[in-house]
Amino acid sequence: MSEAPSAPGAAQNGREQGAGTGGKVLYGALDLGTNNCRLLIAAPAGRGFRVVDAYSRIVRLGEGLSQTGRLSDAAMDRALAALKVSAEKVRRRGVTRFKAIATQACRSAQNGAEFVERVAAETGLRLEVISPKEEAHLSVAGCLNLLDRTADTALVVDVGGGSTELSWVDLSGQARAARLTPGRPPVRAWRSIPLGVVTLAEQFPEGADAPEVWFRRMVEAFRSRLEGFTGADSVRPAFDTGRAHIIGTSGAITSLAGLHLNLPRYDRNRVDGIWMTRAECEASANRLIGMTMAERAAQPCIGPDRADLVLAGAAILQAVQELWPCERVRVADRGLREGILLSMMAARQRRRPRGRGGRTTHG
């Protein structure tokens, strides 16, 4: 993964400063997806980081893309508004190491490159449209410390707005004994499916069928795109013998967890890292199937912005569980932004000389 040398508007005199962080270098990561624009600004702290600022806005950049093949003017305007807020935060905080990525919507849209140029001209942000493979690896890097090292395999499922990335992570043998680092996650196999919560929901509009039938159609649509994949067959025995688990990262999956916990309002500290059984995931999905759109919107961990998308995410998770069955699912309220930050910090530590007998540590 390439690392941008500096943030937009950052000082170019070679000095690295962090506003309000005791002189520490500040890192920034921005993820512009099909549904969300997310920014995270952080300072290194031990083997991880301390969050200094964060921003997230649902922009639905990929709205209508599956029908037209293009990003709409309204969607681009929404995304640009969020990107301008993000750029201002980056400048105000004095971020000096920064990376901004764009994923499936910009990869697949006919006018994706044109939009990226417009973003640079209007905000100063240089978006890098990353490949599905890099997206999958960054998702794993962001979730490394949620992996159960007593298992032999983990399947990281990153459900996006326009695509879903699946990564089978090797945790057995030498990989178990080694230290896992963001720059070199032990990914045995990966697969990108060009279906996410936005594209799946648009393909199967709600109300055309009975709720149970509609949900099942979404499950089958995703299954049909995944079931022929044989690249991870070498780790299937771990799933067959209960030595594997799933990590699910997406707003839809964290919403399922919040519903499962009956939270009065969303609480990341309660959700991130929680273990759910397969039966509990299905029970939360069944609760949602029995609700109207308005009832889902009234749920504190869903809200109106996700009310029409959360069941598409639940359908994707169920399809994965049917094809790669395991009893344990760990919910991750983290993903690409954290993967970018940790990868940049680890790369910088590897490049730093060890002079004066000091030791380097990875972020």
Side-chain angles (χ1 to χ4, degrees), residues 29-273:
L30 185 144
D31 165 26
L32 178 63
T34 301
N35 196 45
N36 290 277
C37 176
R38 297 185 176 101
L39 171 72
L40 203 58
I41 297 172
R47 294 182 178 179
F49 56 79
R50 178 175 63 84
V51 175
V52 173
D53 204 348
Y55 174 74
S56 180
R57 179 69 58 84
I58 292 178
V59 296
R60 301 209 178 198
L61 178 61
E63 187 174 54
L65 175 60
S66 59
Q67 282 82 37
T68 67
R70 297 180 60 83
L71 303 174
S72 71
D73 290 341
M76 289 189 289
D77 288 345
R78 289 194 300 267
L80 274 164
L83 290 168
K84 287 175 182 177
V85 173
S86 299
E88 179 58 29
K89 285 180 174 288
V90 169
R91 294 187 186 99
R92 189 172 67 249
R93 290 289 185 177
V95 173
T96 53
R97 312 304 301 181
F98 181 74
K99 187 177 179 69
I101 64 166
T103 55
Q104 181 65 19
C106 289
R107 277 198 299 261
S108 61
Q110 296 170 14
N111 57 341
E114 176 185 329
F115 174 67
V116 169
E117 291 177 3
R118 183 181 169 192
V119 168
E122 295 190 22
T123 72
L125 297 174
R126 299 186 298 276
L127 290 173
E128 178 185 345
V129 182
I130 63 171
S131 68
K133 181 177 182 179
E134 183 171 1
E135 185 174 355
H137 278 66
L138 285 173
S139 298
V140 174
C143 295
L144 280 183
N145 65 353
L146 292 183
L147 294 169
D148 180 0
R149 298 292 294 274
T150 66
D152 286 347
T153 300
L155 171 53
V156 179
V157 183
D158 180 11
V159 183
S163 66
T164 298
E165 275 61 51
L166 302 102
S167 303
W168 288 261
V169 181
D170 182 14
L171 297 173
S172 63
Q174 291 183 346
R176 178 177 292 156
R179 181 176 170 191
L180 302 182
T181 61
R184 295 183 293 271
V187 177
R188 178 69 65 87
W190 69 277
R191 176 75 165 171
S192 180
I193 307 292
L195 281 176
V197 293
V198 174
T199 46
L200 192 59
E202 288 183 348
Q203 186 176 339
F204 296 95
E206 187 171 359
D209 297 296
E212 296 82 1
V213 175
W214 164 65
F215 181 77
R216 189 64 214 174
R217 289 181 67 200
M218 291 194 291
V219 173
E220 292 295 337
F222 194 87
R223 273 190 62 130
S224 69
R225 304 296 291 268
L226 178 60
E227 58 189 346
F229 179 65
T230 59
D233 283 356
S234 63
V235 300
R236 189 170 286 281
F239 286 81
D240 295 337
T241 55
R243 294 178 288 111
H245 72 90
I246 288 174
I247 291 181
T249 170
S250 82
I253 295 175
T254 57
S255 293
L256 285 178
L259 186 70
H260 164 68
L261 293 171
N262 291 310
L263 296 179
R265 61 182 178 276
Y266 186 78
D267 183 349
R268 183 185 186 275
N269 292 328
R270 295 281 306 277
V271 170
D272 184 49

